[in-house]
Amino acid sequence: MAGHFIERMQTGLWRENPGLVQLLGLCPLLAVTSSFVNGLGLGIATLLVLTCSNVLVSATRRWILAEIRVPIYVLIIASLVTCTELIFKAWFPALDRSLGIFIPLIVTNCAIVARAELFASRNGIVASLFDGLGMGAGFALLLMVIGFFRELIGKGSVFAEFDKLVGGDPLAGMVLVDGGWLLAVLPPGAFFSLALAVALKNYLDGRRKPARQT
Amino acid sequence: MIPRTAKSGVTLAAIAAVCATLVAATHRLTTDRIAANEQAWLEQSLLPALGDIDYDGSITESRLELEPPHGLPGNDPAIVYRAYSGSTPVAALFAVTAPGGYAGPIRILVGVDAGGAVTGVRILEHRETPGLGDGIESTRSAWVHQFDGRSLGNPPAGAWQLRVDGGEFDQLTGASVTPRAVIKAIRDTLLYFDAHQAEILDMPATAEPE
């Protein structure tokens, strides 16, 4: 089981990363990654929803006829997202304000319904749980990396506004430079950053392959 | 043998019931906390516009909603909060919409004390250009602080304009449409307060919509 877990994690984090390889869920990915904390917040929320939906879809897969599977996925995912939104509003109000509409919009993240359809509806509960964790972590990690990068270039700070997550007094994070290259936090910066991340992944994969063959 | 459609219907209903229960339970669990958070956030976001005015109790309880046409800037309902010290009104907060922003209306909060002087101005909501027009936010520049303590006599209503337009207030580097809209809204709010001060401060609070 441990080996299986490691394999699912590798698949989600790298080999079939929902953002980098499947290019799913780009709307939230591009929109909220203007800072590390936002990326982390939405990443955790997506991870939570994806894992729970995978488990529920897998657990109910015996009773679900093929014709009604999509409405059932929609029901399950929408309920989970509503619960997540309420939980965020109650315990992380600042983060909820900053992510705004993108928490309810997790419903439309195709990475989640794709995993329900492609994986959870065909595999056991434990495997689906691992798959949800792996894919969710892969997505969350990408959100964090891009958020970190854009915040660094665009605002010259690192880990700013962590109070949104932990509460309490405003935290400035580490300010390296005052101000930054504004473009990075504007929408084009999101596209550039994602393109760089995809390119970097392909470059690393390309380097590894020939090495294995020889 | 149960027909397939009936089986589908029952499955769908059962799962819908489970999901609804889940959402209802979470809602019950969080509803008090969410209400408290929203109240605290509102109260906290109103405070900066009050400057160092001393008041008793909660400002949000004195909420007054004015439907248009109300004579205040903007065509949206204007919201007024009153601050009292004992039973004496000491200040009013106006949440109004400034039309004519560069990228749509700007929602601003103007605090006015009983003498008609501005206690503070804060921007509640806007869609101005990042890096240019968003300097009206107090977290991005000190621009909104130039209104603190100013009133209709200081400068006179005619001089409530940007310096480039012959007035007394600074503009923002690279943006003049945004500050122009904000200044006009503040001036109009002050004019309204001057004309309706007594009724605004004495009107009973509008019940909170449930």
Side-chain angles (χ1 to χ4, degrees), chain B residues 50-67:
Chain B
L50 268 183
D52 43 16
I53 292 272
D54 276 323
Y55 67 98
D56 304 329
S58 142
I59 334 168
T60 44
E61 277 167 17
S62 66
R63 187 175 182 279
L64 187 66
E65 193 167 331
L66 302 174
E67 292 298 326

Side-chain angles (χ1 to χ4, degrees), chain A residues 70-172:
Chain A
V70 174
I72 293 207
Y73 299 159
V74 172
L75 250 175
I76 290 177
I77 296 170
S79 316
L80 288 171
V81 170
T82 312
C83 292
T84 309
E85 191 197 355
L86 290 172
I87 290 168
F88 265 62
K89 271 195 199 305
W91 279 280
F92 310 107
L95 193 63
D96 177 69
R97 274 189 295 276
S98 139
L99 293 173
I101 187 71
F102 289 99
I103 293 190
L105 276 186
I106 294 175
V107 172
T108 64
N109 189 330
C110 7
I112 296 172
V113 84
R115 288 332 282 174
E117 170 78 17
L118 294 175
F119 196 91
S121 62
R122 294 164 199 188
N123 289 281
I125 296 182
V126 176
S128 300
L129 171 74
F130 290 164
D131 181 71
L133 286 173
M135 288 290 162
F139 190 70
L141 205 66
L142 182 64
L143 283 172
M144 286 187 263
V145 169
I146 294 189
F148 178 86
F149 178 73
R150 287 178 68 194
E151 184 184 335
L152 180 68
I153 307 284
K155 297 180 196 153
S157 64
V158 179
F159 306 135
E161 295 181 316
F162 237 88
D163 53 288
K164 282 181 186 166
L165 211 58
V166 293
D169 293 329
L171 300 166

Side-chain angles (χ1 to χ4, degrees), chain A residues 1-10 129-130 133-134:
Chain A
M1 195 181 322
H4 195 70
F5 174 71
I6 291 169
E7 202 220 310
R8 294 305 334 154
M9 288 307 272
Q10 275 178 345
L129 171 74
F130 290 164
L133 286 173

